[in-house]
Amino acid sequence: MVAGGVSLAMLPAREVKPPPKETLAAPPTQVAVVDGGTLRLQDQVVLLQGVQPPSRGTPCAVDQDCGAAAANALAAMVREAPVACQVTGSDPMGRPFAVCQASGTELNSAVVAAGWARAENGVPALKRAEDTARAERRGVWAAGRATDR
């Protein structure tokens, strides 16, 4: 028995690899904006990880819907560009969370930096982008719009 244990120890170590991260991608004609933090790539709904956009119907300024403005801002970022998303997890409903890119721009950071979404707690890079957008009064942080939390 001891000899068997020794022979197993002499076997080359197998490299243990984490499961590959899933990538979701779509050409421009198959990308749709659901809201300021959600995309539909072909038939798959994808949530931008760490991004909390305002809900549609949330007022920003006189006669302006912050949720619609956030969706429009994200739509401008993905217009006529293929989108690729690296899945990082999923929500309780099974929808994937992801970090997405279009035209060399990380969409998660870009929508927060533009001031059209808040950063979720626990995402330091997005929190810094939110703080800058807030200080520079961009998007929902513009004068007369969203209140500080």
Side-chain angles (χ1 to χ4, degrees):
M1 290 212 111
V2 172
V6 170
S7 65
L8 286 177
M10 296 177 66
L11 290 175
R14 284 193 331 184
E15 185 177 336
V16 178
K17 294 181 183 177
K21 289 187 177 181
E22 181 182 7
T23 299
L24 299 173
T29 58
Q30 295 295 309
V31 176
V33 173
V34 176
D35 64 28
T38 310
L39 296 171
R40 186 168 26 98
L41 305 181
Q42 298 176 10
D43 292 330
Q44 180 69 57
V45 173
V46 179
L47 305 171
L48 298 181
Q49 178 187 0
V51 174
Q52 296 178 330
S55 301
R56 288 192 189 267
T58 301
C60 272
V62 177
D63 297 328
Q64 185 177 22
D65 178 338
C66 254
N72 290 340
L74 182 57
M77 293 176 198
V78 300
R79 185 167 289 123
E80 298 180 20
V83 174
C85 299
Q86 198 67 36
V87 176
T88 58
S90 61
D91 74 357
M93 294 175 51
R95 297 175 298 189
F97 284 118
V99 175
C100 299
Q101 296 213 358
S103 301
T105 299
E106 183 190 300
L107 300 173
N108 307 51
S109 294
V111 74
V112 173
W116 291 113
R118 294 177 188 233
E120 289 181 355
N121 291 333
V123 187
L126 292 182
K127 183 62 178 141
R128 285 189 299 276
E130 178 187 325
D131 291 345
T132 300
R134 187 185 297 222
E136 295 179 2
R137 311 296 289 170
R138 293 187 216 137
V140 299
W141 311 115
R145 293 189 178 175
T147 59
D148 291 342
R149 47 176 167 178

